Amino acid sequence: MNTIETLYSEAVNLLKSLISTQSFSREEDKTADIIEAFFKQHNIGTQRKLNNVWAYNKYYDKAKPTILLNSHHDTVKPNSGYTRNPLDPAVEDGKLYGLGSNDAGGCLVSLIVVFMHFYEQTDLKYNFCIATTAEEEVSGTNGLELVIPDLGELEFAIVGEPTLMQLAIAERGLMVLDCTAHGKAGHAAREEGENAIYKALADIEWFRNYRFTEESELFGPIKMSVTIINAGSQHNVVPATCTFTVDVRVTDAYRNEEVLNIIQQQVSCDVVPRSIRLKPSSIDKNHPIVQAGIKLGRSTYGSPTTSDQALLDIPSLKMGPGDSARSHTANEFIYLKEIEEGIELYIKLLEEIV
């Protein structure tokens, strides 16, 4: 069995290799190759679909429940504020710099080596499946969502995202709604037409003020924000249509479909969701993995950010080294100590139940 120091060294070397390889969303083939090669180097068989790579523990037993360990290897494109080479995995003052180092490279490599730690153990109560996936940053359909049907039955998941190794036991879902209010065109100088803007205003006011009956213990009420509005073609024409966009952050008190149905019943405009894929997610605070984390001094909270956790229909815990506040920032970095502590905490957490 590898020591924490050995696992840490393996993780950091792998992360440096991933940082130095461009892996923008939908362009992750080269980092998928690196991950495949890493597993092969350690005599671990893998499966791959597009840029998603996954593996199971050596003594996988269909009669046992399976824990999914998941994180992503795609990155956003570097923003204009970078003063460093985003693909240079430089280490300074205990920090490892580079694009994707914090989001979510540190989580990814930590989970990979934690999987290796358990890989050859024969007396586990659970199986392990490690899935390193693509397109998370763009909520794409060719990432985790694509391979979920291939992974088999899963009991629960740990999703690696930077949480300072605290326990994100719930995550908001997201729906973006395209709304259209209909009126009738006419000349603005005469009493004709039906102004679609005025019709839209009533619905916009509803979105601003409505409170759903159920509220989340962690998040409170569902949050709805009108963020874009468009209408009219010229000053003297009463507009026949007014379109607006609503950002809806759904809590674990509802399913996306329920929220959409309530909205469509209450407003007069046409409401079309761009997607209902990004579901709110949660895991019971009394779940053994959460209780194991609490026992280790970790705190629970609800995460306001969306991740691949939204694509899972099983209980899932979001947890990982790094700080979400550093994600997508210029000169992104993760503390090396965070990776070492993350590996150790992941192992202690899982040993409590497996």
Side-chain angles (χ1 to χ4, degrees):
M1 189 180 298
N2 293 312
T3 63
I4 296 294
E5 291 75 17
T6 302
L7 294 172
Y8 164 73
S9 177
E10 294 265 17
V12 171
N13 288 335
L14 175 58
L15 181 52
K16 287 179 178 178
S17 181
L18 293 172
I19 290 170
S20 64
T21 306
Q22 183 175 299
S23 58
F24 303 150
S25 299
R26 300 193 176 99
E27 301 175 23
E28 314 94 339
D29 54 303
K30 291 182 175 60
T31 46
D33 292 343
I34 289 170
I35 292 166
E36 264 194 316
F38 180 85
F39 281 125
K40 184 176 182 180
Q41 175 190 340
H42 290 87
N43 299 312
I44 297 172
T46 60
Q47 299 182 52
R48 178 169 176 173
K49 181 178 281 190
L50 298 183
N51 296 328
N52 306 287
V53 179
W54 68 96
Y56 300 93
N57 57 301
K58 186 173 183 178
Y59 298 103
Y60 179 89
D61 181 348
K62 287 184 178 180
K64 295 179 181 179
T66 299
I67 301 171
L68 173 65
L69 306 177
N70 167 247
S71 192
H72 64 96
H73 58 99
D74 63 313
T75 71
V76 296
K77 293 183 178 179
N79 67 52
S80 59
Y82 264 85
T83 59
R84 295 172 167 271
N85 177 355
L87 302 184
D88 177 20
V91 175
E92 293 179 19
D93 300 323
K95 302 173 183 176
L96 173 57
Y97 287 90
L99 185 65
S101 56
N102 180 78
D103 183 16
C107 304
L108 174 69
V109 298
S110 297
L111 285 173
I112 286 173
V113 299
V114 167
F115 170 80
M116 286 169 47
H117 171 80
F118 290 103
Y119 177 71
E120 292 194 356
Q121 293 187 33
T122 58
D123 56 349
L124 299 173
K125 297 176 184 175
Y126 289 82
N127 299 308
F128 281 99
C129 173
I130 177 81
T132 68
T133 49
E135 296 194 5
E136 190 273 347
E137 295 291 3
V138 292
S139 300
T141 56
N142 286 324
L144 177 61
E145 185 175 31
L146 178 71
V147 300
I148 285 173
D150 300 301
L151 301 181
E153 188 172 346
L154 304 167
E155 184 78 6
F156 70 90
I158 296 177
V159 177
E161 289 285 337
T163 70
L164 293 170
M165 291 305 289
Q166 302 305 328
L167 310 168
I169 60 172
E171 178 183 274
R172 290 185 189 269
L174 169 64
M175 283 195 300
V176 179
L177 307 178
D178 290 315
C179 303
T180 304
H182 297 279
K184 183 180 180 182
H187 198 294
R190 295 190 292 269
E191 292 295 327
E192 62 184 36
E194 191 177 359
N195 196 317
I197 292 176
Y198 298 155
K199 296 185 75 172
L201 283 174
D203 287 338
I204 290 170
E205 193 67 10
W206 181 88
F207 279 110
R208 180 183 181 187
N209 295 317
Y210 184 77
R211 287 182 76 95
F212 288 83
T213 305
E214 302 296 328
E215 295 193 2
S216 166
E217 182 180 341
L218 287 165
F219 296 114
I222 288 173
K223 181 173 175 56
M224 299 191 290
S225 304
V226 177
T227 53
I228 302 171
I229 184 168
N230 288 288
S233 57
Q234 58 191 63
H235 76 89
N236 59 353
V237 177
V238 172
T241 60
C242 177
T243 62
F244 59 97
T245 302
V246 187
D247 179 292
V248 184
R249 302 290 167 154
V250 184
T251 72
D252 52 314
Y254 287 90
R255 294 183 64 83
N256 285 357
E257 295 86 348
E258 294 175 306
V259 172
L260 179 61
N261 184 54
I262 291 169
I263 291 170
Q264 289 174 329
Q265 288 179 358
Q266 294 289 328
V267 297
S268 60
C269 60
D270 296 337
V271 179
V272 179
R274 295 183 187 177
S275 168
I276 56 173
R277 296 167 53 238
L278 302 178
K279 304 179 289 289
S281 53
S282 64
I283 189 168
D284 193 293
K285 195 170 182 177
N286 293 316
H287 192 284
I289 195 70
V290 178
Q291 287 299 307
I294 292 171
K295 183 179 176 182
L296 291 169
R298 304 292 94 188
S299 60
T300 61
Y301 73 104
S303 172
T305 58
T306 302
S307 71
D308 272 348
Q309 195 176 13
L311 302 172
L312 294 168
D313 280 322
I314 56 173
S316 55
L317 171 68
K318 184 161 71 174
M319 181 184 189
D323 187 345
S324 180
R326 292 186 221 128
S327 300
H328 306 177
T329 60
N331 302 328
E332 181 181 348
F333 69 88
I334 188 168
Y335 288 101
L336 290 171
K337 191 70 176 174
E338 290 176 325
I339 297 174
E340 185 175 16
E341 290 173 348
I343 293 166
E344 188 171 7
L345 272 168
Y346 275 141
I347 290 173
K348 286 181 177 178
L349 182 78
L350 289 164
E351 283 180 340
E352 285 287 324
I353 66 167
V354 304

